[in-house]
Amino acid sequence: MDGTIGEIRLFAANFAPKSWQYCNGALLAIRSNTALFSLLGTTYGGDGVNTFGLPNLAGRSAVGVGQGPGLSYYRLGEMTGTDSVTLIMSNLPMHTHSLSGNVVIPAYSDEGDSGTPANNILASKASMYTNQGTDSTTRPIPLSMQIGITGGNNALNVLQPSLGMNYIICLYGVYPSRG
């Protein structure tokens, strides 16, 4: 299968053809792959003295180098992304939860005879529910209410629909000329 050195193709078979190898991040010897090393260098790994790395597209999608309008910048060989993410509060849109309920406090209309609430029931005192003599509205009691915690804290899958295939790279073939 003819190709240009460094060319990457999708290949539907379960083997890499002669002169091609899987794009799996393998380290290759420079001395036996000098033409490919001259194109890739250590962009994808290796020490640059004895070895260099192939791109690792196992379980990954390729993305163009550079930056488009409103998009992130990607440099050659950069690996980024994740299969899943766990959302935290700052990821969620601002929203509110409504809470309603009735608070019932047992009370007697008699005047109290204790100076502590411990083991006692709320009682009134003279003119407790009146203000300026005519208002008989009870006063609000500020209550701290909380809605219980919910959710399982499970990661959210962010994978795009995919089809497993092999990316292969040409090791030996036509050396590309600069245009």
Side-chain angles (χ1 to χ4, degrees), residues 88-134:
I88 57 176
M89 290 301 287
S90 62
N91 298 119
L92 301 177
M94 290 181 65
H95 66 284
T96 58
H97 293 258
S98 298
L99 176 68
S100 65
N102 296 318
V103 177
V104 178
I105 301 174
Y108 287 110
S109 60
D110 298 340
E111 285 196 34
D113 60 1
S114 174
T116 177
N119 298 318
N120 290 306
I121 296 175
L122 184 64
S124 68
K125 64 184 214 183
S127 302
M128 180 177 179
Y129 298 113
T130 61
N131 184 14
Q132 299 172 351
T134 58

Side-chain angles (χ1 to χ4, degrees), residues 54-172:
L54 295 178
N56 187 358
L57 287 165
R60 297 193 163 275
S61 298
V63 64
V65 173
Q67 181 177 16
L71 300 175
S72 298
Y73 174 80
Y74 295 98
R75 65 178 167 72
L76 190 61
E78 178 179 3
M79 291 177 55
T80 186
T82 183
D83 291 343
S84 62
V85 64
T86 300
L87 298 177
I88 57 176
M89 290 301 287
S90 62
N91 298 119
L92 301 177
M94 290 181 65
H95 66 284
T96 58
H97 293 258
S98 298
L99 176 68
S100 65
N102 296 318
V103 177
V104 178
I105 301 174
Y108 287 110
S109 60
D110 298 340
E111 285 196 34
D113 60 1
S114 174
T116 177
N119 298 318
N120 290 306
I121 296 175
L122 184 64
S124 68
K125 64 184 214 183
S127 302
M128 180 177 179
Y129 298 113
T130 61
N131 184 14
Q132 299 172 351
T134 58
D135 185 2
S136 63
T137 307
T138 58
R139 304 290 169 246
I141 300 172
L143 296 174
S144 173
M145 299 184 122
Q146 180 179 9
I147 297 177
I149 296 173
T150 187
N153 205 36
N154 295 321
L156 174 68
N157 184 334
V158 292
L159 284 176
Q160 62 185 356
S162 303
L163 173 65
M165 295 183 73
N166 290 308
Y167 282 100
I168 56 174
I169 187 167
C170 182
L171 302 178
Y172 311 107

